[in-house]
Amino acid sequence: MLVMIGVGVLMVFSTDGTFVIGYITMLCAILTVSTISYDEYDNGYPFLLTLPITKRTYVAGKYLFCLAGGLIGWAIAVAIYLCCSLIKGNVLLISDLLETLAFIPVFGLITVIMIPLQLKYGAEKSRIAIAVVGGGAWALGYLFMRYLPDIGEIPAFLSGLSDVTMMVFLLVLFLAVLAISYRISLRIMEKKEY
């Protein structure tokens, strides 16, 4: 953890400071999601489920743990960013602070997509599934930008939205994907037999 914070401080001084926010936040989120593979290792699920824990509480706990881990990483990264910005003498604007808040729903979306994949396919196969999902999203974005004839209208619409409206949109999108992802994860865990 100290190495990660040290790298974050160095990156703030050498690059745009907002990069470190995304870097540390996603690193913490990925580390917390990887704990699912340790739960399955060496017959961990049967042991966990002999405790007073149901499959439903396990899934809810994993979502809370992974999202809390990402939020803690985000808070550490924002603190590093703010401190280093003050040391460098940069003026902090409200738009900079709103930009740091935008990382929360983005890391949340990625995390809630990764959890069901990790539960379904395990550690090794989920890496391939995550690459396929990420590649598919990139391909859709590329095709959308390349072949949609009226693409000029969409950026004009998005540029007309305020930062707060965009944050609310991202938050609503995150909550919708969270609800769907949670239900999928519950079904995956209920179908597993140990």
Side-chain angles (χ1 to χ4, degrees):
M1 186 69 151
L2 291 175
V3 172
M4 183 175 65
I5 292 171
V7 168
V9 169
L10 290 174
M11 286 172 29
V12 167
F13 282 115
S14 63
T15 63
D16 177 26
T18 56
F19 174 78
V20 75
I21 297 171
Y23 174 75
I24 291 178
T25 303
M26 286 310 302
L27 191 60
C28 287
I30 290 170
L31 287 174
T32 56
V33 170
S34 71
T35 61
I36 295 172
S37 65
Y38 290 107
D39 290 343
E40 5 176 282
Y41 182 71
D42 221 6
N43 293 325
Y45 281 138
F47 173 72
L48 284 172
L49 296 175
T50 59
L51 300 171
I53 296 175
T54 64
K55 293 177 180 182
R56 180 176 293 275
T57 56
Y58 173 78
V59 170
K62 277 300 167 184
Y63 274 88
L64 288 175
F65 177 69
C66 293
L67 292 174
L71 280 175
I72 290 169
W74 174 82
I76 290 169
V78 168
I80 291 170
Y81 170 69
L82 292 175
C83 289
C84 291
S85 292
L86 292 175
I87 290 170
K88 288 173 23 179
N90 294 346
V91 176
L92 295 173
L93 304 172
I94 298 294
S95 62
D96 293 336
L97 297 177
L98 284 175
E99 186 178 336
T100 64
L101 286 174
F103 285 101
I104 295 173
V106 171
F107 102 81
L109 282 170
I110 293 170
T111 302
V112 299
I113 290 171
M114 287 174 36
I115 290 173
L117 293 174
Q118 189 85 11
L119 288 172
K120 175 77 173 168
Y121 298 111
E124 296 301 319
K125 290 180 184 176
S126 70
R127 289 185 189 137
I128 296 168
I130 290 168
V132 167
V133 168
W138 178 85
L140 281 175
Y142 175 77
L143 291 173
F144 182 75
M145 297 295 283
R146 176 115 167 110
Y147 295 110
L148 198 64
D150 296 326
I151 195 67
E153 295 175 17
I154 294 173
F157 168 75
L158 291 177
S159 67
L161 294 177
S162 70
D163 291 340
V164 175
T165 307
M166 187 60 87
M167 284 296 301
V168 169
F169 171 74
L170 283 174
L171 185 63
V172 168
L173 179 65
F174 164 69
L175 292 174
V177 173
L178 174 65
I180 294 167
S181 172
Y182 181 73
R183 287 185 182 268
I184 292 170
S185 295
L186 279 177
R187 283 192 182 166
I188 290 169
M189 283 302 289
E190 288 172 359
K191 287 183 180 180
K192 283 189 175 188
E193 292 187 18
Y194 305 103

